[in-house]
Coordinates of all heavy atoms in Angstrom, one line a residue:
M27 N 129.8 170.1 35.3 CA 129.2 168.8 34.7 C 128.4 168.1 35.8 O 128.9 168.0 37.0 CB 130.4 167.9 34.3 CG 130.3 167.3 32.9 SD 128.9 167.4 31.8 CE 129.7 166.9 30.3
L28 N 127.3 167.6 35.5 CA 126.5 166.9 36.5 C 127.0 165.5 36.6 O 127.5 164.9 35.7 CB 125.0 166.8 36.0 CG 124.2 168.1 36.0 CD1 122.9 167.8 35.2 CD2 123.9 168.5 37.4
A29 N 126.9 165.0 37.8 CA 127.4 163.6 38.1 C 126.1 162.7 37.9 O 125.0 163.1 38.0 CB 127.9 163.4 39.5
G30 N 126.4 161.4 37.7 CA 125.3 160.5 37.6 C 125.1 159.9 36.2 O 125.9 160.1 35.3
P31 N 124.0 159.1 36.1 CA 123.8 158.4 34.8 C 123.7 159.3 33.6 O 124.1 158.9 32.5 CB 122.5 157.6 35.0 CG 122.0 158.0 36.4 CD 122.9 158.9 37.0
R32 N 123.2 160.5 33.8 CA 123.0 161.4 32.7 C 124.3 161.8 32.0 O 124.4 161.7 30.8 CB 122.3 162.7 33.2 CG 121.3 163.1 32.2 CD 120.5 164.2 32.7 NE 119.2 164.1 32.0 CZ 118.3 165.0 32.0 NH1 118.6 166.2 32.6 NH2 117.2 164.9 31.3
S33 N 125.3 162.1 32.8 CA 126.6 162.5 32.2 C 127.3 161.3 31.6 O 128.0 161.5 30.6 CB 127.5 163.2 33.3 OG 127.7 162.3 34.3
T34 N 127.0 160.1 32.1 CA 127.6 158.9 31.5 C 127.1 158.8 30.1 O 127.8 158.4 29.2 CB 127.2 157.7 32.4 OG1 127.6 158.0 33.7 CG2 128.0 156.5 31.9
N35 N 125.7 159.0 29.9 CA 125.1 158.9 28.6 C 125.7 159.9 27.7 O 125.9 159.6 26.5 CB 123.6 159.2 28.7 CG 122.9 157.9 29.3 OD1 123.5 156.8 29.2 ND2 121.7 158.2 29.8
Q36 N 126.0 161.1 28.2 CA 126.6 162.2 27.3 C 128.0 161.8 26.9 O 128.3 162.0 25.7 CB 126.6 163.5 28.1 CG 125.3 164.1 28.1 CD 125.3 165.5 28.8 OE1 126.2 165.8 29.5 NE2 124.3 166.3 28.6
V37 N 128.8 161.2 27.8 CA 130.1 160.8 27.4 C 130.0 159.7 26.3 O 130.7 159.7 25.3 CB 130.9 160.2 28.7 CG1 132.1 159.5 28.2 CG2 131.2 161.4 29.6
R38 N 129.1 158.8 26.5 CA 128.9 157.7 25.5 C 128.5 158.3 24.1 O 129.0 157.9 23.1 CB 127.8 156.8 25.9 CG 128.3 155.4 26.1 CD 127.3 154.4 26.6 NE 127.6 154.0 28.0 CZ 126.8 153.8 28.9 NH1 125.5 154.0 28.8 NH2 127.2 153.4 30.1
L39 N 127.7 159.3 24.1 CA 127.3 160.0 22.9 C 128.5 160.6 22.2 O 128.6 160.5 21.0 CB 126.2 161.1 23.1 CG 124.8 160.7 23.1 CD1 123.9 161.9 23.5 CD2 124.4 160.2 21.7
L40 N 129.3 161.3 23.0 CA 130.5 161.9 22.4 C 131.4 160.9 21.8 O 132.1 161.2 20.8 CB 131.2 162.7 23.5 CG 130.5 164.0 24.0 CD1 131.2 164.6 25.2 CD2 130.4 165.0 22.9
E41 N 131.5 159.7 22.4 CA 132.5 158.7 21.9 C 132.0 158.0 20.7 O 132.8 157.4 20.0 CB 132.7 157.7 23.0 CG 133.6 158.2 24.1 CD 133.7 157.3 25.3 OE1 133.0 156.3 25.4 OE2 134.5 157.5 26.2
T42 N 130.8 158.2 20.3 CA 130.3 157.5 19.0 C 130.9 158.2 17.8 O 131.1 157.6 16.8 CB 128.8 157.6 18.9 OG1 128.3 158.9 19.0 CG2 128.1 156.7 20.0
G43 N 131.3 159.5 17.9 CA 132.0 160.1 16.7 C 133.4 160.3 17.0 O 133.8 161.0 18.0
P44 N 134.3 159.6 16.2 CA 135.7 159.6 16.5 C 136.3 161.0 16.4 O 137.2 161.4 17.2 CB 136.3 158.7 15.4 CG 135.3 158.5 14.4 CD 133.9 158.8 15.1
E45 N 135.7 161.9 15.6 CA 136.3 163.2 15.4 C 135.9 164.1 16.6 O 136.4 165.2 16.7 CB 135.8 163.8 14.1 CG 134.3 164.3 14.1 CD 133.3 163.1 13.7 OE1 133.8 162.0 13.7 OE2 132.2 163.4 13.5
M46 N 135.0 163.6 17.5 CA 134.6 164.5 18.6 C 135.3 164.0 19.9 O 135.0 164.5 21.0 CB 133.1 164.3 18.8 CG 132.3 164.9 17.6 SD 130.6 164.3 17.8 CE 130.0 164.6 16.1
K47 N 136.2 163.1 19.8 CA 136.8 162.6 21.0 C 137.5 163.6 21.9 O 137.4 163.5 23.1 CB 137.8 161.5 20.6 CG 137.2 160.1 20.9 CD 138.3 159.0 20.7 CE 137.6 157.7 21.1 NZ 138.4 156.6 20.6
N48 N 138.1 164.5 21.3 CA 138.9 165.5 22.2 C 138.0 166.7 22.5 O 138.5 167.7 23.0 CB 140.1 165.9 21.5 CG 141.1 164.8 21.3 OD1 141.2 163.9 22.2 ND2 141.8 164.7 20.2
A49 N 136.7 166.7 22.3 CA 135.8 167.7 22.6 C 136.3 169.1 22.0 O 136.1 170.1 22.6 CB 135.6 167.9 24.1
A50 N 136.9 169.0 20.8 CA 137.4 170.2 20.1 C 137.0 170.2 18.7 O 137.7 169.6 17.8 CB 138.9 170.4 20.3
V51 N 135.8 170.6 18.4 CA 135.3 170.6 17.0 C 135.5 172.0 16.4 O 135.0 173.0 17.0 CB 133.8 170.3 16.9 CG1 133.3 170.2 15.5 CG2 133.5 168.9 17.6
P52 N 136.4 172.2 15.4 CA 136.7 173.5 14.9 C 135.5 174.2 14.4 O 135.3 175.4 14.6 CB 137.8 173.3 13.9 CG 137.7 171.8 13.6 CD 137.1 171.1 14.7
F53 N 134.7 173.5 13.6 CA 133.5 174.2 13.0 C 132.3 173.2 13.2 O 132.4 172.0 12.8 CB 133.7 174.5 11.6 CG 132.5 175.2 10.9 CD1 132.3 176.5 11.1 CD2 131.6 174.4 10.2 CE1 131.1 177.1 10.6 CE2 130.5 175.0 9.6 CZ 130.3 176.3 9.8
C54 N 131.2 173.7 13.7 CA 130.0 172.9 13.9 C 128.9 173.6 13.2 O 128.5 174.7 13.7 CB 129.8 172.6 15.3 SG 128.2 171.7 15.6
P55 N 128.3 173.1 12.1 CA 127.2 173.8 11.4 C 126.0 174.0 12.3 O 125.3 175.0 12.2 CB 126.9 172.9 10.2 CG 127.9 171.8 10.2 CD 128.7 171.9 11.5
D56 N 125.7 172.9 13.1 CA 124.6 173.0 14.0 C 124.7 174.2 15.0 O 123.8 174.9 15.3 CB 124.4 171.7 14.8 CG 123.9 170.6 13.9 OD1 123.5 170.9 12.8 OD2 124.0 169.4 14.3
R57 N 125.9 174.3 15.5 CA 126.2 175.4 16.5 C 126.0 176.7 15.8 O 125.5 177.6 16.4 CB 127.6 175.2 17.1 CG 127.9 176.1 18.2 CD 129.4 176.2 18.5 NE 130.1 176.7 17.4 CZ 131.4 176.5 17.2 NH1 132.1 175.6 17.9 NH2 132.0 177.0 16.2
E58 N 126.6 176.8 14.6 CA 126.5 178.1 13.9 C 125.0 178.5 13.6 O 124.6 179.6 13.7 CB 127.3 178.0 12.6 CG 128.8 178.0 12.8 CD 129.3 179.0 13.8 OE1 129.0 180.2 13.6 OE2 129.9 178.6 14.8
T59 N 124.2 177.5 13.3 CA 122.8 177.7 13.1 C 122.1 178.2 14.3 O 121.4 179.2 14.3 CB 122.1 176.4 12.6 OG1 122.7 175.9 11.4 CG2 120.6 176.7 12.3
L60 N 122.5 177.6 15.5 CA 121.9 178.0 16.7 C 122.4 179.4 17.2 O 121.6 180.2 17.7 CB 122.3 177.0 17.8 CG 121.6 175.6 17.7 CD1 122.2 174.6 18.6 CD2 120.1 175.7 18.0
R61 N 123.6 179.7 16.8 CA 124.2 181.0 17.2 C 123.5 182.1 16.3 O 123.2 183.2 16.8 CB 125.7 181.1 16.9 CG 126.5 180.4 18.0 CD 127.9 180.4 17.6 NE 128.6 181.7 18.0 CZ 129.9 181.9 17.8 NH1 130.6 181.0 17.2 NH2 130.4 183.0 18.2
G62 N 123.2 181.7 15.0 CA 122.5 182.7 14.2 C 121.1 183.0 14.7 O 120.6 184.1 14.7
R63 N 120.4 181.9 15.2 CA 119.1 182.1 15.7 C 119.1 182.9 17.0 O 118.3 183.8 17.2 CB 118.5 180.7 16.1 CG 117.7 180.1 14.9 CD 117.1 178.8 15.2 NE 117.0 178.0 14.1 CZ 117.0 176.7 14.1 NH1 117.0 176.0 15.3 NH2 116.9 176.0 13.0
L64 N 120.2 182.7 17.8 CA 120.3 183.4 19.0 C 120.5 184.9 18.7 O 119.9 185.8 19.3 CB 121.5 182.9 19.8 CG 121.8 183.6 21.2 CD1 120.7 183.3 22.2 CD2 123.1 183.1 21.7
R65 N 121.3 185.2 17.7 CA 121.6 186.6 17.3 C 120.3 187.3 16.8 O 120.0 188.4 17.2 CB 122.6 186.7 16.2 CG 124.0 186.8 16.8 CD 125.0 187.3 15.7 NE 125.2 186.2 14.7 CZ 126.1 185.3 14.7 NH1 127.0 185.3 15.7 NH2 126.2 184.4 13.8
A66 N 119.5 186.5 16.0 CA 118.3 187.0 15.5 C 117.3 187.3 16.6 O 116.6 188.3 16.6 CB 117.7 186.0 14.4
D67 N 117.2 186.3 17.5 CA 116.2 186.5 18.6 C 116.7 187.6 19.5 O 115.8 188.4 20.1 CB 116.2 185.2 19.5 CG 115.3 184.1 18.7 OD1 114.5 184.5 17.8 OD2 115.4 183.0 19.1
L68 N 118.0 187.8 19.7 CA 118.5 188.9 20.5 C 118.1 190.3 19.9 O 117.7 191.2 20.5 CB 120.0 188.8 20.7 CG 120.7 189.9 21.5 CD1 120.1 190.0 22.9 CD2 122.2 189.8 21.5
K69 N 118.2 190.3 18.5 CA 117.9 191.6 17.8 C 116.4 191.9 18.0 O 116.0 193.0 18.3 CB 118.2 191.4 16.4 CG 118.3 192.8 15.7 CD 118.4 192.7 14.2 CE 118.4 194.1 13.6 NZ 117.2 194.9 14.0
V70 N 115.5 190.9 17.9 CA 114.1 191.1 18.1 C 113.8 191.6 19.5 O 113.0 192.5 19.7 CB 113.3 189.7 17.8 CG1 111.9 189.9 18.2 CG2 113.4 189.4 16.3
Y71 N 114.5 191.0 20.4 CA 114.4 191.3 21.8 C 114.8 192.8 22.1 O 114.1 193.6 22.7 CB 115.2 190.4 22.7 CG 115.2 190.6 24.2 CD1 114.1 191.2 24.8 CD2 116.3 190.3 24.9 CE1 114.1 191.4 26.2 CE2 116.4 190.5 26.3 CZ 115.3 191.1 26.9 OH 115.3 191.3 28.3
L72 N 115.9 193.2 21.5 CA 116.4 194.6 21.7 C 115.5 195.6 21.0 O 115.2 196.6 21.6 CB 117.8 194.7 21.1 CG 118.9 193.9 21.9 CD1 120.3 194.1 21.1 CD2 119.1 194.5 23.3
D73 N 115.0 195.2 19.9 CA 114.0 196.1 19.2 C 112.7 196.2 20.1 O 112.2 197.3 20.2 CB 113.6 195.5 17.8 CG 114.8 195.7 16.8 OD1 115.7 196.4 17.1 OD2 114.7 195.1 15.7
A74 N 112.3 195.1 20.6 CA 111.1 195.1 21.5 C 111.3 196.0 22.7 O 110.4 196.7 23.1 CB 110.7 193.7 21.9
V75 N 112.5 195.9 23.3 CA 112.8 196.8 24.4 C 112.8 198.3 24.1 O 112.4 199.1 24.8 CB 114.2 196.3 25.1 CG1 114.6 197.3 26.1 CG2 114.0 195.0 25.7
T76 N 113.4 198.5 22.9 CA 113.4 199.9 22.4 C 112.0 200.4 22.2 O 111.6 201.6 22.6 CB 114.1 200.0 21.0 OG1 115.4 199.5 21.2 CG2 114.2 201.4 20.5
E77 N 111.1 199.6 21.7 CA 109.7 199.9 21.6 C 109.1 200.2 22.9 O 108.3 201.1 23.1 CB 109.0 198.7 20.9 CG 108.3 198.9 19.6 CD 108.3 200.3 19.0 OE1 109.2 200.7 18.3 OE2 107.3 201.0 19.2
L78 N 109.4 199.3 23.9 CA 108.9 199.4 25.2 C 109.3 200.8 25.9 O 108.5 201.4 26.6 CB 109.4 198.3 26.1 CG 108.9 198.1 27.5 CD1 107.4 197.9 27.5 CD2 109.6 197.0 28.2
E79 N 110.6 201.2 25.6 CA 111.1 202.5 26.1 C 110.3 203.6 25.6 O 110.0 204.6 26.2 CB 112.6 202.6 25.8 CG 113.5 201.9 26.7 CD 114.9 202.0 26.3 OE1 115.2 202.2 25.2 OE2 115.8 201.8 27.2
R80 N 109.9 203.5 24.3 CA 109.2 204.6 23.6 C 107.7 204.7 24.1 O 107.1 205.7 24.0 CB 109.2 204.3 22.1 CG 110.4 204.9 21.4 CD 110.2 204.8 19.9 NE 111.5 204.6 19.2 CZ 111.7 203.8 18.2 NH1 110.8 203.0 17.7 NH2 112.9 203.7 17.7
S81 N 107.2 203.5 24.5 CA 105.8 203.5 24.9 C 105.6 204.1 26.3 O 106.5 204.3 27.0 CB 105.2 202.1 24.9 OG 105.8 201.4 25.9
N82 N 104.3 204.4 26.6 CA 104.0 204.8 28.0 C 102.7 204.3 28.4 O 102.0 203.7 27.6 CB 104.1 206.4 28.1 CG 103.2 207.0 27.1 OD1 102.0 206.8 27.0 ND2 103.8 207.9 26.2
I83 N 102.3 204.5 29.6 CA 101.1 203.9 30.1 C 99.8 204.2 29.2 O 99.0 203.4 29.0 CB 100.8 204.4 31.6 CG1 102.0 204.0 32.5 CG2 99.5 203.9 32.1 CD1 102.2 202.5 32.7
E84 N 99.8 205.5 28.7 CA 98.6 205.8 27.9 C 98.8 205.3 26.5 O 97.8 205.2 25.8 CB 98.5 207.4 27.8 CG 98.1 208.0 29.2 CD 99.4 208.3 30.0 OE1 100.4 208.6 29.4 OE2 99.3 208.3 31.2
N85 N 100.0 205.1 26.1 CA 100.2 204.8 24.7 C 100.9 203.4 24.5 O 102.2 203.4 24.3 CB 101.0 205.9 24.0 CG 101.0 205.8 22.5 OD1 100.3 205.0 21.9 ND2 101.9 206.5 21.9
G86 N 100.2 202.3 24.5 CA 100.7 201.0 24.1 C 101.7 200.3 25.0 O 102.4 199.5 24.5
F87 N 101.7 200.7 26.3 CA 102.7 200.1 27.1 C 102.4 198.6 27.3 O 103.3 197.8 27.2 CB 102.7 200.8 28.5 CG 103.7 200.1 29.5 CD1 105.0 200.4 29.5 CD2 103.2 199.1 30.4 CE1 105.9 199.8 30.3 CE2 104.1 198.5 31.2 CZ 105.5 198.8 31.2
D88 N 101.1 198.2 27.5 CA 100.8 196.8 27.8 C 101.2 196.0 26.6 O 101.8 194.9 26.8 CB 99.3 196.7 28.0 CG 99.0 197.1 29.5 OD1 99.9 197.2 30.3 OD2 97.8 197.2 29.8
K89 N 100.9 196.5 25.4 CA 101.2 195.7 24.2 C 102.7 195.6 24.0 O 103.2 194.5 23.8 CB 100.6 196.4 23.0 CG 100.5 195.5 21.8 CD 100.0 196.3 20.6 CE 100.3 195.5 19.3 NZ 100.4 196.4 18.1
A90 N 103.4 196.7 24.2 CA 104.9 196.7 24.1 C 105.5 195.8 25.1 O 106.5 195.0 24.8 CB 105.4 198.1 24.2
H91 N 104.9 195.8 26.3 CA 105.5 194.9 27.4 C 105.3 193.5 27.1 O 106.2 192.7 27.3 CB 104.8 195.3 28.7 CG 105.4 194.6 29.9 ND1 104.7 193.5 30.5 CD2 106.5 194.8 30.6 CE1 105.5 193.0 31.5 NE2 106.6 193.8 31.5
K92 N 104.1 193.1 26.6 CA 103.8 191.7 26.2 C 104.8 191.3 25.1 O 105.3 190.2 25.2 CB 102.4 191.6 25.7 CG 101.5 191.0 26.7 CD 100.0 190.9 26.2 CE 99.1 191.2 27.4 NZ 97.7 191.6 26.9
L93 N 105.0 192.1 24.1 CA 105.9 191.8 23.0 C 107.3 191.6 23.5 O 108.0 190.6 23.1 CB 105.8 192.8 21.9 CG 104.6 192.8 21.0 CD1 104.6 194.0 20.1 CD2 104.5 191.5 20.2
A94 N 107.8 192.5 24.3 CA 109.1 192.4 24.9 C 109.3 191.2 25.7 O 110.4 190.5 25.6 CB 109.4 193.7 25.7
N95 N 108.3 190.8 26.5 CA 108.4 189.6 27.3 C 108.4 188.4 26.5 O 109.2 187.5 26.7 CB 107.2 189.6 28.2 CG 107.4 188.7 29.5 OD1 108.5 188.7 30.0 ND2 106.4 188.0 29.9
R96 N 107.6 188.3 25.4 CA 107.6 187.2 24.5 C 109.0 187.1 23.8 O 109.5 186.0 23.7 CB 106.5 187.4 23.5 CG 105.9 186.1 23.0 CD 104.7 186.3 22.1 NE 103.6 186.9 22.8 CZ 102.6 187.6 22.1 NH1 102.6 187.7 20.8 NH2 101.6 188.1 22.8
A97 N 109.5 188.2 23.4 CA 110.8 188.2 22.7 C 111.9 187.7 23.7 O 112.9 187.0 23.3 CB 111.2 189.6 22.2
R98 N 111.8 188.1 24.9 CA 112.8 187.7 25.9 C 112.8 186.2 26.1 O 113.8 185.5 26.2 CB 112.5 188.4 27.3 CG 113.5 188.1 28.4 CD 113.3 188.8 29.7 NE 111.9 188.5 30.2 CZ 111.6 187.4 30.9 NH1 112.6 186.5 31.2 NH2 110.4 187.2 31.3
L99 N 111.6 185.6 26.2 CA 111.4 184.2 26.4 C 112.0 183.4 25.2 O 112.7 182.4 25.3 CB 109.9 183.8 26.6 CG 109.4 184.3 27.9 CD1 107.9 184.0 28.0 CD2 110.0 183.6 29.1
A100 N 111.7 184.0 24.0 CA 112.3 183.3 22.8 C 113.8 183.4 22.8 O 114.4 182.4 22.4 CB 111.7 184.0 21.5
Y101 N 114.3 184.5 23.2 CA 115.8 184.6 23.3 C 116.4 183.6 24.3 O 117.4 183.0 24.0 CB 116.1 186.1 23.7 CG 117.6 186.2 24.1 CD1 118.6 186.2 23.1 CD2 117.9 186.5 25.4 CE1 119.9 186.3 23.5 CE2 119.2 186.6 25.8 CZ 120.2 186.5 24.9 OH 121.5 186.7 25.2
E102 N 115.7 183.5 25.4 CA 116.2 182.6 26.5 C 116.1 181.1 26.0 O 117.0 180.3 26.3 CB 115.4 182.8 27.8 CG 116.0 184.0 28.5 CD 115.2 184.3 29.8 OE1 114.3 183.5 30.1 OE2 115.4 185.3 30.4
V103 N 115.1 180.8 25.3 CA 115.0 179.4 24.7 C 116.1 179.2 23.7 O 116.8 178.1 23.8 CB 113.6 179.2 24.0 CG1 113.6 177.9 23.2 CG2 112.5 179.2 25.0
A104 N 116.4 180.2 22.9 CA 117.5 180.0 21.9 C 118.9 179.9 22.6 O 119.7 179.1 22.2 CB 117.5 181.3 21.0
R105 N 119.0 180.7 23.7 CA 120.3 180.6 24.4 C 120.5 179.2 25.1 O 121.5 178.6 25.1 CB 120.3 181.7 25.5 CG 121.6 182.0 26.1 CD 121.6 183.3 26.9 NE 120.5 183.3 27.9 CZ 120.7 183.0 29.2 NH1 121.9 182.9 29.6 NH2 119.7 183.0 30.0
K106 N 119.4 178.7 25.7 CA 119.4 177.4 26.3 C 119.7 176.3 25.3 O 120.5 175.4 25.5 CB 118.0 177.1 26.9 CG 118.1 177.3 28.4 CD 116.7 176.9 29.1 CE 116.4 177.9 30.2 NZ 115.0 178.0 30.4
R107 N 119.1 176.4 24.1 CA 119.4 175.4 23.0 C 120.8 175.4 22.6 O 121.4 174.4 22.4 CB 118.5 175.7 21.8 CG 117.1 175.1 22.0 CD 116.4 175.2 20.7 NE 115.0 174.9 20.9 CZ 114.0 175.5 20.3 NH1 114.2 176.4 19.4 NH2 112.7 175.2 20.6
L108 N 121.4 176.6 22.5 CA 122.8 176.7 22.1 C 123.7 176.1 23.2 O 124.6 175.3 22.9 CB 123.2 178.2 21.9 CG 124.7 178.4 21.5 CD1 125.1 177.7 20.3 CD2 124.9 179.9 21.4
N109 N 123.4 176.4 24.4 CA 124.2 175.9 25.6 C 124.1 174.4 25.6 O 125.1 173.7 25.9 CB 123.8 176.6 26.9 CG 124.2 178.0 27.0 OD1 125.2 178.4 26.3 ND2 123.6 178.8 27.8
Q110 N 122.9 173.9 25.5 CA 122.7 172.4 25.6 C 123.4 171.7 24.4 O 124.0 170.7 24.6 CB 121.2 172.1 25.5 CG 120.5 172.2 26.9 CD 119.0 172.2 26.8 OE1 118.4 172.1 25.7 NE2 118.3 172.4 27.9
H111 N 123.4 172.3 23.3 CA 124.0 171.7 22.1 C 125.5 171.7 22.4 O 126.1 170.6 22.2 CB 123.8 172.5 20.8 CG 124.6 172.0 19.7 ND1 124.2 170.9 19.0 CD2 125.8 172.4 19.2 CE1 125.2 170.6 18.1 NE2 126.1 171.5 18.2
V112 N 126.1 172.8 22.8 CA 127.6 172.8 23.0 C 128.0 171.8 24.1 O 129.0 171.1 24.0 CB 128.0 174.3 23.4 CG1 129.4 174.3 23.9 CG2 127.8 175.2 22.2
T113 N 127.1 171.7 25.2 CA 127.4 170.8 26.3 C 127.4 169.3 25.8 O 128.3 168.5 26.1 CB 126.4 171.0 27.4 OG1 126.5 172.3 27.9 CG2 126.8 170.1 28.6
S114 N 126.3 169.0 25.0 CA 126.1 167.6 24.7 C 127.0 167.2 23.5 O 127.5 166.1 23.4 CB 124.7 167.3 24.3 OG 124.3 168.0 23.2
H115 N 127.3 168.2 22.6 CA 128.1 167.9 21.4 C 129.6 168.0 21.7 O 130.4 167.4 21.0 CB 127.6 168.8 20.3 CG 128.1 168.4 18.9 ND1 128.2 169.3 17.9 CD2 128.6 167.2 18.5 CE1 128.7 168.6 16.8 NE2 129.0 167.4 17.1
G116 N 129.9 168.9 22.6 CA 131.3 169.1 22.9 C 132.0 170.0 22.0 O 133.2 170.1 21.9
C117 N 131.2 170.8 21.2 CA 131.9 171.8 20.3 C 132.0 173.1 21.1 O 131.0 173.7 21.4 CB 131.0 171.9 19.0 SG 129.3 172.2 19.3
V118 N 133.2 173.4 21.3 CA 133.5 174.6 22.2 C 133.4 175.9 21.4 O 133.9 176.0 20.3 CB 134.9 174.4 22.8 CG1 135.2 175.6 23.8 CG2 135.0 173.1 23.6
L119 N 132.7 176.9 22.0 CA 132.6 178.2 21.4 C 133.9 178.9 21.5 O 134.6 178.8 22.5 CB 131.5 179.0 22.2 CG 130.1 178.7 21.8 CD1 129.2 179.3 22.9 CD2 129.7 179.1 20.5
R120 N 134.2 179.6 20.4 CA 135.5 180.4 20.5 C 135.2 181.9 20.4 O 134.1 182.3 19.9 CB 136.3 180.0 19.3 CG 137.0 178.6 19.6 CD 138.0 178.3 18.5 NE 137.4 178.2 17.2 CZ 138.1 177.9 16.1 NH1 139.3 177.9 16.1 NH2 137.4 177.8 15.0
Ligands
ZN3 ZN1 128.1 171.1 17.7

């Protein structure tokens, strides 16, 4: 956890919902949505990597590399969103 005004704000946010006081939310629909997106983005990324493995310098490597890189960035954004949500909301992944 970061120290400073930022974490103080996060604590205040958590305290606004009485059901979130113990930072143990059994089911969080927002988290599940974010996890679903993460899984979908991971699948796209893995497919893109498979495509990249199949390609070669003469045959579509640049295009496959660009697609794989874009898919990786999308996956990383989805992962960050999930982590940020869990940190700020206090709903712990099981
Ligand atoms: Zn949540």
Side-chain angles (χ1 to χ4, degrees):
M27 226 359 159
L28 290 167
R32 224 174 204 194
S33 59
T34 310
N35 285 340
Q36 283 182 343
V37 169
R38 240 174 248 146
L39 269 175
L40 289 173
E41 281 172 354
T42 54
E45 74 277 10
M46 296 166 197
K47 255 191 178 163
N48 295 323
V51 182
F53 179 80
C54 174
D56 290 345
R57 187 193 66 205
E58 291 312 306
T59 303
L60 290 167
R61 282 176 86 179
R63 272 183 211 155
L64 182 67
R65 271 195 293 267
D67 283 343
L68 179 60
K69 199 192 173 304
V70 171
Y71 177 34
L72 292 175
D73 287 350
V75 169
T76 305
E77 241 358 87
L78 185 62
E79 281 177 335
R80 273 189 209 137
S81 70
N82 55 57
I83 299 297
E84 294 85 32
N85 189 15
F87 179 84
D88 281 348
K89 195 185 166 204
H91 184 258
K92 259 179 215 160
L93 284 173
N95 202 37
R96 215 175 291 162
R98 181 179 59 81
L99 292 173
Y101 167 71
E102 279 175 8
V103 168
R105 195 165 56 100
K106 258 181 218 154
R107 277 193 193 140
L108 176 62
N109 287 340
Q110 276 167 2
H111 173 82
V112 170
T113 303
S114 65
H115 192 202
C117 50
V118 180
L119 283 167
R120 285 188 295 177

